[in-house]
Amino acid sequence: MSDITEYLDYLWHIWQRRWIVLAAATLVCVIGWSFVVVLPDQYQVNAKIHVDTETILKPLLQGLAVDSDITKRSAELLQKTLLTRSNLEKIARSTDMDLNTKTPSEFEDVIWGLAERIHISGGSQRDRRQQQIYSVTYTDIEAKRAKVVVDEVLTLFVEESLGAVRKDTNLTQDFLNKQIVEYEQKLRNAEERLKEFKSKNIGLMPTDGSSYFVQLNQESTQLSEAQLNLDEALNRRKELKRQLQDVIKAATKSGKSASPAIEAINQRITEMEKKLDELLLQFTEEHPDVVSVRRILDDLEQKKKRETRKITSDTAEGIALLDNNPVYQELKVALGEEQTKIAALQVRVNMYRDNVVRLEDLMGTIPKVEAELAKLNRDYNVIHNNYLELVKRRESAKISFDAGSNPDDVQFKIIDPPRVPLRPKGPNRLVLFTGILGAGIGVGVGIVLLLLQLKPTFNSIRGLTKKTGFPVIGTISLVTSSTAIAKERINLLIFGVLAIILCSVYAGLVLTQLMNINLQQYLN
Amino acid sequence: MSSIEKAIEKANAEKKKQHLEQQRRDIPSREGYAEPDTHSPVGLETPGSLTDRYEALNFSMLKLAGYLTPEDNNSLLAEEFRRIKRPILQNAFGAPAQIVQNGNLVMVTSAVPGEGKTFTAINLAISIAMELEKTVMLIDGDSVMSSVSRVLGLSSGLGLSDILKNSNMRLNDVLISTNVPKLSILSAGSNKQHVTELFSSDSMLNLVSDLSHRYSDRIIIFDSPPLTASSEARVLADIVGQILVVVEANRTSQSLVQDALNSLDDSKAIGLILNKCLKSDVKNYGYGYGYR
């Protein structure tokens, strides 16, 4: 409730000061409306062009944005590329806009004006096929000039696009050619390496690998066989040697006992021993005869030993003995045979062992070689593939170029050509007139409210006594005397008349807009 | 207002004649007023006695202009002034009168011109004049505007400033009695120079003291200039005992009112009247009014 009364209060206050509102509104309206009437008409020219994004836009806008951006912001980017400083100057000159400018800064203004008022829009995302429609819009106070500008922009568009596409094709060709030459070289190098490697490792190529394995097995088995044989032979020899020793021992033993020399010594020994025994019966050990006999005995013993010893396999006696022994002879022969066998077997075993070791070594290196070979092959293949790919691309680019994705053959379709507009697009005077009226009233009301805030008045006892601190004895209601009423009436009348005048001016202006009366012609 | 002035002047002569006759015939006035001579012996001036000047007020004209008239008993305006005069009379004659010095000297002023001082002063005077036992002297303290004289249609003549200047003049020479029996009026006077000095002079003090003490049932109302406009108001404010400040609702800025009030002496009985209100705030009657 209190809100409503507050608003009503405000309304009443505004009504009390309605003259302020009227004055403010009139002032604002007079200034504003004259301004609006004097505003020059704006003519807008619009042209629509249909452009293939892939072939045209991408090369044209390359470098300005990432591929995915191009489709989204193509219109923005187009505007940037087309409306360069030099292009704008071209446009200005072709439309004679530069003739009116006297100073460089004025020319600058013209250029800036063009840049601001030329709009390129379009490239709607809803169109799934990449072909898109762009529109070029330009607003100017002169209708003909507007059309010329749009014409110029379209021409520039086409020219620049073609140039860009051509440049792009050339660039691609150059790039491919360079790459292909590089790759040829690489390919040759790889082939060389491969050849070298193969020749260096001739026996070790993977196909030979299996035979080595077989060989190794063979040699191994042979080795073990030979080794076995060798061991057997060695054993036999040992046996034979032992038997031989036995024979020798036996033979020499008997030889030793049959030898005449030894017999003689034995006799003498017995004699001496007899003598010794006799002497010992008479004398002691210290007797010189005993001593000498003992000495002689020792000598004889020693001699015997010597003689015995002599009869071994080495002495002639021994040998003569042995030679006569047939077993000994047989054994000796067998031993000899065995010896030769062993030698032969040893040679064999060594040979086999060497082979095995050699083969094993070779086998060890084969995997390494295999791996190296595989790598070289791989490298070669990769280079080869890339090379083929490049060649293919170049060919296809050539083909497509020749076949007709020709820059000159490009998809430009002007859907809506620019036309000289007969009627101006703006400014929207109707809206402006109304807006100014509203603004004027608003300003007036605003001033009143501001005054209320700045210079508040009293309208209640409570407020009065609260603010001043003095008691309020009473109130006197507003007396509406007949004179006061009459005065008020006249005031109201004048106010009403003035307000009506203001509104009729407004209505008149609105009417001119609705009936498309051009006010400007009356001014000139 | 000029048309009213003219009409009032026209009717004046007639009324004057009528009143003189009435007086001679000793017909009591409407309000049951007692015999003119009951109050005092021959003195300087006697309410209702034969002063040298008499002017009849044109009540119909006043009514047209929205003022309170003696015939007006039941209007909203009459009620409002009945309420307003109570505390004033209390301060003048009642219990608070002990504290309030010169309580029967009342000044009606405002912060800025046009708030309704004269309107209030005149209506207050008439309303009090309707009291059974009180008499009123309305003094026009605004020498510049002389609004009281203008509104009531009094011929411009000698008044307060003349008396103060010329010591030989007698009050009875300039005091105006009216067709409202208990109301006499002292106009501002023809002299418009050095009024402030005259107001602060001894002769003013003497006059005022005399006026206030001579009759115990008389109340003296000064219509003064606005506080911001002149220094006369401030001088008057020192002389009187009660100060009524009229504030125009919805027009006078609060700061102006506050400034005006700040310039007043706290020791006086100061009260506010909210004039030209849109709704009759009869409920929100004022707080106690008295010595502050």
Side-chain angles (χ1 to χ4, degrees):
Chain A
M1 253 305 265
S2 58
D3 283 335
I4 301 180
T5 47
E6 254 186 65
Y7 288 136
L8 289 179
D9 256 0
Y10 275 122
L11 281 178
W12 182 86
H13 278 298
I14 292 169
W15 176 248
Q16 276 295 95
R17 293 160 179 74
R18 55 189 177 270
W19 285 99
I20 297 179
V21 176
L22 184 65
T26 311
L27 189 66
V28 168
C29 286
V30 163
I31 296 176
W33 288 340
S34 345
F35 184 67
V36 169
V37 166
V38 163
L39 274 183
D41 284 329
Q42 303 257 10
Y43 294 91
Q44 191 185 68
V45 173
N46 203 309
K48 279 210 177 76
I49 185 168
H50 171 287
V51 173
D52 188 339
T53 319
E54 280 303 317
T55 55
I56 304 303
L57 286 186
K58 286 239 171 86
L60 186 60
L61 302 176
Q62 230 168 42
L64 287 184
V66 177
D67 261 359
S68 56
D69 274 354
I70 283 183
T71 43
K72 281 188 215 140
R73 296 168 34 206
S74 46
E76 229 181 282
L77 299 170
L78 263 181
Q79 196 151 339
K80 265 198 228 165
T81 4
L82 287 183
L83 302 182
T84 58
R85 174 78 202 206
S86 55
N87 283 349
L88 288 172
E89 285 188 12
K90 248 193 264 179
I91 296 176
R93 291 214 181 82
S94 67
T95 53
D96 291 339
M97 275 199 231
D98 56 337
L99 290 182
N100 289 333
T101 63
K102 298 176 198 93
T103 68
S105 69
E106 279 183 27
F107 188 62
E108 276 295 313
D109 291 338
V110 168
I111 300 289
W112 274 110
L114 276 177
E116 274 184 17
R117 295 198 302 270
I118 299 177
H119 286 299
I120 300 177
S121 60
S124 66
Q125 258 62 55
R126 284 177 254 132
D127 211 289
R128 252 189 267 126
R129 294 179 299 165
Q130 283 289 315
Q131 300 165 346
Q132 302 185 347
I133 298 178
Y134 292 88
S135 41
V136 178
T137 312
Y138 174 68
T139 319
D140 198 314
I141 49 179
E142 281 181 41
K144 278 206 200 109
R145 194 163 66 186
K147 173 192 180 283
V148 173
V149 168
V150 175
D151 262 339
E152 284 291 319
V153 172
L154 288 178
T155 318
L156 276 171
F157 192 176
V158 172
E159 277 176 18
E160 295 230 353
S161 309
L162 294 185
V165 169
R166 209 174 273 124
K167 198 164 67 155
D168 181 67
T169 336
N170 289 342
L171 274 177
T172 321
Q173 287 287 332
D174 285 344
F175 174 73
L176 283 176
N177 284 338
K178 252 200 290 191
Q179 286 286 308
I180 285 173
V181 165
E182 261 184 52
Y183 267 87
E184 275 175 356
Q185 183 60 43
K186 276 199 215 169
L187 205 62
R188 271 197 287 272
N189 291 346
E191 276 176 3
E192 270 301 312
R193 276 201 297 271
L194 204 61
K195 249 192 271 178
E196 258 184 55
F197 185 78
K198 280 199 184 153
S199 58
K200 247 201 280 184
N201 298 288
I202 230 177
L204 300 175
M205 290 297 112
T207 43
D208 309 336
S210 52
S211 65
Y212 277 135
F213 193 68
V214 167
Q215 268 187 43
L216 181 63
N217 277 346
Q218 283 177 355
E219 297 289 315
S220 296
T221 20
Q222 284 181 340
L223 175 64
S224 21
E225 270 182 35
Q227 188 74 36
L228 209 65
N229 290 341
L230 182 62
D231 289 339
E232 281 177 8
L234 285 173
N235 272 346
R236 271 204 299 276
R237 187 175 66 172
K238 205 162 37 170
E239 187 62 35
L240 282 174
K241 269 206 177 153
R242 195 178 56 79
Q243 285 183 4
L244 205 63
Q245 282 300 337
D246 286 350
V247 167
I248 290 175
K249 258 199 224 147
T252 47
K253 199 187 266 172
S254 60
K256 280 188 194 139
S257 48
S259 162
I262 293 177
E263 277 295 322
I265 296 173
N266 279 341
Q267 263 185 357
R268 284 207 71 191
I269 288 175
T270 343
E271 284 178 17
M272 284 296 117
E273 279 178 349
K274 251 198 228 170
K275 205 175 220 186
L276 188 59
D277 286 339
E278 285 173 20
L279 284 174
L280 281 176
L281 284 176
Q282 298 176 1
F283 304 111
T284 63
E285 291 289 334
E286 278 92 28
H287 201 267
D289 288 339
V290 173
V291 169
S292 56
V293 169
R294 275 224 191 264
R295 217 186 317 123
I296 293 169
L297 261 172
D298 286 334
D299 284 340
L300 282 173
E301 284 291 328
Q302 294 219 346
K303 225 178 182 181
K304 181 182 169 186
K305 269 195 196 136
R306 273 200 305 260
E307 287 297 312
T308 323
R309 248 190 266 130
K310 265 198 214 160
I311 307 203
T312 61
S313 50
D314 297 337
T315 57
E317 301 86 359
I319 286 170
L321 253 176
L322 288 172
D323 278 348
N324 294 330
N325 194 330
V327 181
Y328 178 80
Q329 290 304 329
E330 267 182 44
L331 284 176
K332 211 113 195 212
V333 168
L335 187 66
E337 280 179 13
E338 213 57 45
Q339 198 77 2
T340 38
K341 252 199 223 157
I342 282 173
L345 284 174
Q346 189 69 49
V347 166
R348 255 216 191 147
V349 165
N350 287 343
M351 185 185 77
Y352 287 140
R353 185 169 294 126
D354 284 343
N355 278 353
V356 166
V357 168
R358 186 180 56 91
L359 284 171
E360 276 178 347
D361 277 346
L362 283 178
M363 297 286 289
T365 58
I366 283 181
K368 273 194 239 152
V369 168
E370 267 183 48
E372 184 71 23
L373 184 71
K375 176 170 162 299
L376 284 175
N377 272 336
R378 223 188 2 255
D379 289 346
Y380 176 81
N381 283 338
V382 164
I383 294 172
H384 192 67
N385 285 341
N386 283 348
Y387 174 76
L388 287 178
E389 190 65 40
L390 285 171
V391 171
K392 203 163 45 166
R393 258 211 251 166
R394 185 176 60 181
E395 284 312 307
S396 82
K398 265 209 202 118
I399 289 171
S400 63
F401 184 88
D402 296 334
S405 278
N406 202 323
D408 299 329
D409 203 24
V410 117
Q411 324 283 17
F412 271 117
K413 268 204 200 100
I414 298 188
I415 302 174
D416 235 350
R419 278 183 307 256
V420 177
L422 297 171
R423 291 226 316 260
K425 184 102 203 262
N428 191 341
R429 285 179 225 267
L430 190 62
V431 165
L432 286 173
F433 285 142
T434 315
I436 287 175
L437 180 65
I441 295 177
V443 164
V445 170
I447 293 178
V448 169
L449 292 178
L450 189 68
L451 281 178
L452 280 180
Q453 290 298 328
L454 291 180
K455 306 187 82 194
T457 58
F458 293 108
N459 70 344
S460 72
I461 291 186
R462 182 173 294 127
L464 182 54
T465 194
K466 206 170 181 186
K467 185 97 203 291
T468 60
F470 289 102
V472 177
I473 311 180
T475 60
I476 306 171
S477 303
L478 188 59
V479 167
T480 50
S481 64
S482 41
T483 42
I485 293 174
K487 237 186 170 175
E488 190 74 7
R489 286 222 185 101
I490 296 173
N491 184 302
L492 213 64
L493 193 67
I494 300 176
F495 181 82
V497 165
L498 290 176
I500 288 176
I501 291 177
L502 189 66
C503 288
S504 21
V505 172
Y506 169 69
L509 289 171
V510 166
L511 213 64
T512 60
Q513 291 310 299
L514 292 176
M515 302 202 313
N516 291 317
I517 299 173
N518 189 348
L519 293 161
Q520 303 217 299
Q521 64 205 32
Y522 296 115
L523 294 174
N524 303 333
Chain B
M1 281 309 234
S2 50
S3 53
I4 301 169
E5 276 176 58
K6 282 187 204 151
I8 289 176
E9 272 176 33
K10 237 193 255 176
N12 253 353
E14 237 191 71
K15 284 279 182 171
K16 197 166 182 178
K17 267 192 252 166
Q18 267 187 2
H19 186 80
L20 282 170
E21 283 179 21
Q22 202 177 327
Q23 290 230 313
R24 284 191 201 110
R25 275 178 275 153
D26 261 5
I27 299 169
S29 71
R30 266 218 191 148
E31 291 295 314
Y33 180 62
E35 293 294 315
D37 288 318
T38 35
H39 274 285
S40 67
V42 175
L44 213 61
E45 24 64 32
T46 335
S49 70
L50 220 62
T51 62
D52 286 356
R53 287 177 65 186
Y54 170 85
E55 305 236 11
L57 305 177
N58 187 335
F59 293 141
S60 34
M61 276 306 178
L62 280 180
K63 192 159 188 159
L64 271 178
Y67 280 79
L68 187 63
T69 57
E71 303 132 5
D72 191 348
N73 232 347
N74 305 314
S75 66
L76 178 62
L77 198 62
E79 277 303 316
E80 286 170 339
F81 271 95
R82 279 202 189 96
R83 285 179 198 272
I84 288 175
K85 69 181 173 184
R86 281 293 130 240
I88 298 172
L89 292 173
Q90 280 289 310
N91 279 350
F93 306 111
Q98 318 279 349
I99 315 168
V100 179
Q101 276 197 348
N102 297 329
N104 57 346
L105 297 174
V106 181
M107 164 185 162
V108 179
T109 184
S110 71
V112 295
E115 298 198 68
K117 301 175 290 305
T118 311
F119 180 78
T120 308
I122 292 175
N123 288 342
L124 186 63
I126 292 178
S127 180
I128 295 181
M130 298 301 111
E131 294 280 308
L132 289 177
E133 290 138 3
K134 305 289 182 285
T135 60
V136 187
M137 183 187 294
L138 176 61
I139 303 183
D140 191 348
D142 192 347
S143 53
V144 174
M145 299 287 278
S146 301
S147 4
V148 170
S149 313
R150 239 179 338 108
V151 168
L152 297 178
L154 308 171
S155 52
S156 50
L158 300 173
L160 176 62
S161 49
D162 302 304
I163 283 199
L164 291 176
K165 199 158 179 213
N166 190 345
S167 49
N168 292 333
M169 225 178 271
R170 284 168 51 241
L171 191 56
N172 261 12
D173 298 335
V174 290
L175 194 61
I176 304 170
S177 51
T178 66
N179 49 351
V180 179
K182 294 196 219 104
L183 173 64
S184 48
I185 301 175
L186 183 61
S187 66
S190 52
N191 175 27
K192 300 190 197 283
Q193 289 178 334
H194 306 299
V195 180
T196 316
E197 284 74 19
L198 287 173
F199 278 9
S200 43
S201 67
D202 283 339
S203 40
M204 178 68 162
L205 288 172
N206 289 337
L207 173 67
V208 161
S209 144
D210 197 40
L211 287 174
S212 102
H213 292 123
R214 185 169 292 277
Y215 295 108
S216 54
D217 62 349
R218 174 193 279 167
I219 192 160
I220 298 160
I221 301 177
F222 286 89
D223 178 27
S224 98
L227 284 166
T228 53
S230 66
S231 46
E232 294 164 17
R234 248 167 272 139
V235 173
L236 269 179
D238 285 335
I239 299 173
V240 299
Q242 299 192 52
I243 306 175
L244 297 179
V245 180
V246 178
V247 178
E248 180 179 351
N250 296 304
R251 203 189 209 95
T252 318
S253 92
Q254 293 185 359
S255 52
L256 285 176
V257 174
Q258 191 64 57
D259 288 343
L261 289 172
N262 290 341
S263 68
L264 293 177
D265 185 357
D266 267 16
S267 59
K268 309 289 178 181
I270 301 173
L272 305 173
I273 297 180
L274 194 59
N275 190 14
K276 304 193 195 174
C277 285
L278 293 173
K279 27 191 199 281
S280 169
D281 248 342
V282 230
K283 282 183 297 178
N284 305 339
Y285 191 63
Y287 301 87
Y289 170 54
Y291 186 62
R292 180 175 147 77

